Amino acid sequence: MPITLKSSREIELMTEAGRILEIVHNELEKALHPGMTTKEIDRLGEEVIRSYGCIPSFLDYNGYPASICVSVNDEVVHGIPSDRRTIKDGDIVSLDAGVIYKGYHSDAARTHAVGEISEEAKKLIQVTRECFFEGIKYAKEGNHLFDISSAIGKYAEDRGYGVVRALCGHGIGTSLHESPEVPNYIMNRKGVKLKAGMTLAIEPMINSGGWEVDWLDDDWTVVTRDHSLSAHYENTVLITENEPKLLTLNA
């Protein structure tokens, strides 16, 4: 699939999709508490998405059965919400969501602390977020795609963390997943040259232990092989002639 450069009108639509998704994440963060089920998180997320006239990007995407991916502790991504799964004090919960606004997608993820969490977990969440911002220092026209990847990977590995290799970020637009793929680890190639109008979902997935992961029997939930904690941080990013624009983060 060729890489698409978005027109000014498409950027307007994606900016609105991103604005709405940020609201969704803010509402989910406020609601998250010990004792709620992961399915309750999903129901709330879908309700907020639809209240803005949007469609959940993830619902029925390749058969995924929910609107919000809810991944807990050693679950990296794509956790399936369940009425039988209850969030507990001390958990870390990664919420990944997307919305479709007038045919255009946005995609973002956050990892949250529930109640009192360990110092190890706090540091993991912090470093994962920092990895994203380290990467987008290079998200400028004229740089290369893998400049972003290598910056993310180096920042994490220098601090002793495992960088997930089996999953990566991606282009985004009228499809949830477009070209190019955006790895989060150190690359020995440059990748494509970045151009204004590219829209990328950049999403470090960082483990407190090793980088290896496995898929559970549901064929969706990805977990760390060594059962170490995992965190996820993602925004939809617009490449411009100057600094990148974060479509899902205005704060």
Side-chain angles (χ1 to χ4, degrees), residues 235-246:
N235 283 300
T236 300
V237 178
L238 169 67
I239 305 299
T240 76
E241 294 175 354
N242 300 300
E243 295 299 314
K245 183 178 180 183
L246 307 186

Side-chain angles (χ1 to χ4, degrees), residues 18-213:
R19 185 189 74 84
I20 292 166
L21 182 54
E22 183 176 17
I23 292 169
V24 173
H25 271 292
N26 290 342
E27 291 299 315
L28 292 175
E29 181 179 13
K30 284 191 290 186
L32 192 62
H33 65 271
M36 74 186 308
T37 67
T38 55
K39 188 63 179 177
E40 286 178 295
I41 297 168
D42 177 59
R43 289 193 194 101
L44 173 61
E46 181 172 355
E47 180 181 306
V48 178
I49 290 169
R50 294 194 187 279
S51 75
Y52 284 88
C54 295
I55 299 168
S57 296
F58 297 174
L59 185 61
D60 296 326
Y61 181 79
N62 291 338
Y64 185 75
S67 299
I68 312 295
C69 296
V70 186
S71 306
V72 183
N73 295 333
D74 66 341
E75 296 171 351
V76 181
V77 286
H78 305 160
I80 298 176
S82 170
D83 284 319
R84 296 185 300 276
R85 183 78 180 274
T86 301
I87 301 299
K88 301 187 298 294
D89 186 87
D91 285 341
I92 65 171
V93 180
S94 297
L95 304 178
D96 191 1
V99 308
I100 308 169
Y101 174 77
K102 296 186 177 179
Y104 285 83
H105 292 261
S106 58
D107 190 2
R110 306 281 187 265
T111 300
H112 301 291
V114 179
E116 282 298 316
I117 64 171
S118 68
E119 289 302 316
E120 174 195 9
K122 289 178 186 176
K123 186 65 175 175
L124 173 66
I125 293 171
Q126 176 186 333
V127 168
T128 302
R129 188 177 188 278
E130 289 170 354
C131 283
F132 171 86
F133 286 99
E134 196 66 23
I136 65 163
K137 289 179 181 178
Y138 299 88
K140 300 176 183 178
E141 185 171 61
N143 287 343
H144 288 83
L145 182 68
F146 294 159
D147 294 337
I148 300 171
S149 305
S150 295
I152 291 170
K154 185 175 189 305
Y155 191 86
E157 290 180 1
D158 283 354
R159 286 153 184 79
Y161 291 93
V163 182
V164 174
R165 292 170 173 261
L167 301 141
C168 61
H170 49 90
I172 186 170
T174 54
S175 296
L176 178 59
H177 292 99
E178 297 184 351
S179 294
E181 292 189 342
V182 187
N184 294 307
Y185 50 89
I186 297 170
M187 301 292 289
N188 295 319
R189 295 174 288 123
K190 288 185 173 181
V192 299
K193 186 171 280 191
L194 298 174
K195 296 180 180 179
M198 286 182 177
T199 43
L200 306 172
I202 299 172
E203 50 178 321
M205 289 161 269
I206 308 299
N207 302 337
S208 61
W211 58 266
E212 298 93 341
V213 298

